[in-house]
Amino acid sequence: MNAKVESTALNRPVTRQTFDEVLVPTYAPAAMVPVRGAGLDLWDQNGKHYLDFTSGIAVAALGHCNPIVVEALTRQANTLWHLGNGYTNEPVLRLALALTEATFADRAFFCNSGAEANEAALKLARKHAHSKFGAHKSRIISCYQSFHGRTLFTVSVGGQSKYTEGFEPLPPSIDHITYNDIESARAAIGDDVCAVIVEPLQGEGGVVPGDKAFLQELRDLCNKTGALLIFDEVQSGMGRTGELFHYMSYGITPDILTSAKALGNGFPVAAMLTTHELAATLSVGSHGTTYGGNPMAATVALTVLETINQPAFLARVKEAGAKLRATLEKVVADYPQVFSQVRGAGLLLGVVTSDAWKGRSKDIQKAAEANGMMVLIAGMDVVRMAPALIVSDEQIAEADRILRVSLDGLLQAA
Ligand SMILES: *Cc1c(COP(=O)(O)O)cnc(C)c1O
């Protein structure tokens, strides 16, 4: 029974080339294939080491293979995996208690991805308006350059047309406003609006922080019109900016908050958080998903939440964020021909390319990778850094060194 099976399927040799042969070509992954990670360290198939300043797009906030999370997951894997929604489970009940105690929310709905959490939030808003005000109140307002996921609904709500082209017809009654433009918000948000969805810090759209006055205006307009304010904190949440959720640093409270990415540190799990009153909209049978909040996902998320939501942990994120920002600002000052500014919050920072280097963020990303560091981009004009929240001062210094070596190389080649 317990004899180890010599699995050929699990040990079969594969390369980056295999991707091009058997994967649907939705991505163009890097040439190297990471095989092992620990903290912010990654190694590829050739044993080459990388300093990971991506954390899997702001996901592995506690680092790769964090022992605390590995222990919790392993324990749960030996206890109970899955039940289905005909039964609840202890881990999901504990996770819901912890998330509602830690936030404005009273209720949680669990699913598996950021897109699904936003889908649930938007469906809730539609149904709430439908039953409280009537079918005419159906319009959804979102921002240009926003990103809310890749289902047909969330990609239509997202503000980047390159992601919807060719997928028409799109769901109707969705309009976009300019991020941080109060006049644009005032003109668009009328009585027929059921929901306003916004990232308090735009991630994919270029690491653009929301202005407090803009977010406050959205809150006021929603109060006035009876629309629900949805904060998409899939990327900005779970300690990334030094607060558990970024709304806390503004003191502006949404009606619905969505979380995913770092919530599971890489295990797929997402949450939609809301109030008692609004949660009642999604009555028995109105919405659901097979895996949402299964014992494995809930155990991991609870472990991550408990680790991150400690004053000392969050204070260190703020400190590390300030150190990384100061480091990058010095890089910008020393390489004015390449970069123009640093923006973002906490440990989600974007370095914006200068006019002369417009469209070249990917070149910088590739040079850093060749020199042993992984960074993200956010569009063609922004190099994005989102290291694990446990990043050390030494790792920030090492990132500084590799980034400068990479820039020197690029400038020499030019
Ligand atoms: C990544 C992201 C999503 C989508 O999450 P998935 O898990 O990929 O569906 C939604 N909103 C924001 C702000 C994101 O950064």
Side-chain angles (χ1 to χ4, degrees):
M1 276 287 282
N2 288 324
K4 272 225 168 86
V5 181
E6 260 316 307
S7 170
T8 45
L10 287 175
N11 298 317
R12 189 168 167 179
V14 285
T15 66
R16 170 63 180 77
Q17 177 68 30
T18 316
F19 182 95
D20 292 336
E21 291 161 6
V22 291
L23 272 290
V24 174
T26 47
Y27 315 112
M32 62 90 170
V33 180
V35 292
R36 192 164 61 82
L40 280 81
D41 297 309
L42 272 182
W43 291 268
D44 72 10
Q45 286 183 317
N46 301 321
K48 180 174 168 183
H49 172 263
Y50 299 86
L51 176 63
D52 181 8
F53 263 49
T54 73
S55 59
I57 317 189
V59 169
L62 297 178
H64 298 286
C65 303
N66 186 298
I68 298 170
V69 185
V70 170
E71 198 280 322
L73 179 62
T74 308
R75 193 165 15 89
Q76 188 58 45
N78 284 303
T79 308
L80 185 63
W81 280 41
H82 183 79
L83 292 158
N85 294 307
Y87 306 87
T88 191
N89 66 76
E90 290 182 346
V92 81
L93 298 171
R94 295 186 184 116
L95 175 61
L97 284 170
L99 276 171
T100 54
E101 280 160 15
T103 63
F104 75 94
D106 314 306
R107 300 267 183 164
F109 171 81
F110 294 106
C111 43
N112 318 290
S113 67
E116 281 176 88
N118 287 328
E119 186 93 14
L122 295 164
K123 280 181 71 179
L124 190 162
R126 276 272 172 83
K127 196 156 188 286
H128 171 74
H130 203 276
S131 54
K132 195 168 168 192
F133 300 96
H136 69 282
K137 194 175 177 68
S138 66
R139 209 148 61 86
I140 291 163
I141 301 296
S142 160
C143 296
Y144 289 117
Q145 299 308 120
S146 69
F147 184 79
H148 300 296
R150 297 295 199 114
T151 64
L152 190 60
F153 196 6
T154 54
V155 87
S156 306
V157 169
Q160 305 188 48
S161 55
K162 66 178 179 195
Y163 293 142
T164 52
E165 271 158 26
F167 294 110
E168 300 87 353
L170 305 176
S173 209
I174 298 165
D175 290 307
H176 296 93
I177 62 175
T178 305
Y179 195 60
N180 284 337
D181 182 342
I182 288 179
E183 283 315 312
S184 173
R186 282 186 186 144
I189 301 170
D191 287 332
D192 61 343
V193 172
C194 70
V196 177
I197 182 166
V198 67
E199 296 161 83
L201 166 60
Q202 280 191 341
E204 301 304 309
V207 194
V208 187
D211 291 341
K212 183 168 184 179
F214 174 70
L215 297 173
Q216 186 62 55
E217 183 70 22
L218 295 184
R219 178 68 277 175
D220 295 345
L221 288 165
C222 284
N223 290 349
K224 210 169 84 185
T225 58
L228 301 184
L229 182 61
I230 303 167
F231 275 2
D232 178 344
E233 293 231 33
V234 168
Q235 190 159 159
S236 62
M238 291 304 289
R240 179 56 52 189
T241 68
E243 303 285 342
L244 181 61
F245 288 102
H246 197 38
Y247 82 87
M248 294 166 175
S249 51
Y250 289 98
I252 299 167
T253 305
D255 299 297
I256 303 175
L257 181 146
T258 55
S259 176
K261 290 204 164 95
L263 182 61
N265 205 60
F267 197 96
V269 57
M272 178 198 68
L273 305 176
T274 190
T275 62
H276 278 305
E277 188 207 339
L278 295 173
T281 306
L282 294 182
S283 53
V284 175
S286 63
H287 191 58
T289 170
T290 295
Y291 302 122
N294 86 8
M296 301 270 282
T299 296
V300 172
L302 184 57
T303 306
V304 171
L305 177 65
E306 270 208 296
T307 308
I308 288 177
N309 197 26
Q310 302 290 342
F313 187 97
L314 293 169
R316 169 59 199 170
V317 174
K318 282 193 182 130
E319 182 187 77
K323 284 211 162 110
L324 180 58
R325 181 186 277 264
T327 300
L328 294 174
E329 271 165 1
K330 271 202 92 222
V331 172
V332 171
D334 292 343
Y335 294 85
Q337 62 276 58
V338 180
F339 291 124
S340 65
Q341 63 156 316
V342 181
R343 66 189 179 205
L347 283 168
L348 182 54
L349 295 172
V351 197
V352 186
T353 54
S354 65
D355 283 343
W357 277 62
K358 252 194 172 349
R360 295 196 59 187
S361 60
K362 225 176 163 73
D363 295 343
I364 299 164
Q365 181 186 42
K366 280 196 173 140
E369 188 191 301
N371 288 303
M373 175 166 69
M374 291 150 65
V375 298
L376 295 163
I377 60 172
M380 289 302 129
D381 303 327
V382 179
V383 176
R384 176 173 34 159
M385 308 249 176
L389 306 182
I390 56 169
V391 65
S392 68
D393 291 354
E394 293 71 30
Q395 287 165 327
I396 291 172
E398 178 67 357
D400 182 35
R401 188 189 67 77
I402 297 178
L403 185 58
R404 285 167 185 268
V405 167
S406 306
L407 294 171
D408 291 342
L410 283 168
L411 287 168
Q412 256 167 30

